Amino acid sequence: MSGRDNALRVPIITVRAEIMLQGGTVRTSELFVAEHQAHDFRRQLVTDLLESATAFVPLRACEGPGEVPGQVELLNKEAMVWLRVPLTAGEPPVEEKSDPASPDVELFDEMHAVRVDLLSTDALAGNILYSPTAMGHGRVVDYLNDPGRLFRLWTGEHLYLVNKRFVVRVVEV
């Protein structure tokens, strides 16, 4: 059997995103996201892909210093400072939901305007939206200390997935 047998391939969609790497390099790439997750009929979210236990994620280079457009490569997720996608009409958001009436639609109880100071790069400003995981624990610190390597930050034009490892401090504004 061939290693490229189409019957065994997982259907994917690509999500175009800008990624800042450790050291400050920003590049545009396409991530490969499974069209359906195992035992679930929703699209795999980019956050699921980036929060998985695997160390590397495949992507296709589009633009950036030293990039070969179209080249498929493996990115070490720990080297990613942030990933951002546009929040404009016609662009699939990171948290794409096919039916707004579906129970998968995410509504949030808390919104906090913050500035996120990062190691060796400019700060980000936006809103953190979340729902507390425990009764009465709706503080930003509780959200940031939840398990996982990333947190979401919304700006007027983008959704950022920020790697907590590169955050120096978060200040409510």
Side-chain angles (χ1 to χ4, degrees):
M1 173 168 48
S2 160
R4 295 187 178 255
D5 186 348
N6 285 336
L8 299 177
R9 295 185 112 174
V10 174
I12 60 164
I13 58 170
T14 57
V15 176
R16 190 176 180 99
E18 291 179 294
I19 301 170
M20 175 177 275
L21 300 175
Q22 183 175 358
T25 301
V26 177
R27 53 185 294 183
T28 302
S29 299
E30 291 179 333
L31 285 98
F32 303 110
V33 181
E35 189 170 318
H36 297 286
Q37 288 184 309
H39 307 100
D40 197 351
F41 292 104
R42 67 181 174 96
R43 288 186 176 161
Q44 179 185 17
L45 304 177
V46 172
T47 50
D48 293 340
L49 179 67
L50 297 176
E51 289 287 7
S52 68
T54 60
F56 292 87
V57 61
L59 52 83
R60 181 174 28 237
C62 296
E63 302 169 19
E67 298 304 314
V68 178
Q71 182 176 27
V72 175
E73 56 193 33
L74 301 172
L75 174 70
N76 182 337
K77 295 185 285 189
E78 289 299 321
M80 182 190 79
V81 177
W82 52 251
L83 174 142
R84 77 175 166 211
V85 293
L87 293 176
T88 57
E91 293 282 340
V94 170
E95 304 298 326
E96 180 176 312
K97 310 294 184 190
S98 57
D99 177 6
S102 154
D104 284 340
V105 171
E106 214 166 350
L107 300 175
F108 303 99
D109 296 324
E110 300 283 337
M111 181 174 90
H112 296 273
V114 297
R115 184 187 74 237
V116 179
D117 295 336
L118 300 166
L119 290 169
S120 342
T121 187
D122 294 335
L124 300 172
N127 292 303
I128 293 178
L129 300 152
Y130 62 95
S131 293
T133 55
M135 184 61 93
H137 294 282
R139 302 174 304 174
V140 172
V141 68
D142 297 321
Y143 171 69
L144 293 174
N145 282 324
D146 278 346
R149 83 171 38 98
L150 306 169
F151 69 91
R152 294 176 283 187
L153 180 74
W154 279 264
T155 67
E157 298 177 356
H158 295 96
L159 171 60
Y160 285 81
L161 299 177
V162 181
N163 189 336
K164 295 176 189 177
R165 188 182 111 157
F166 294 99
V167 174
V168 174
R169 67 183 179 160
V170 176
V171 180
E172 290 191 63
V173 293

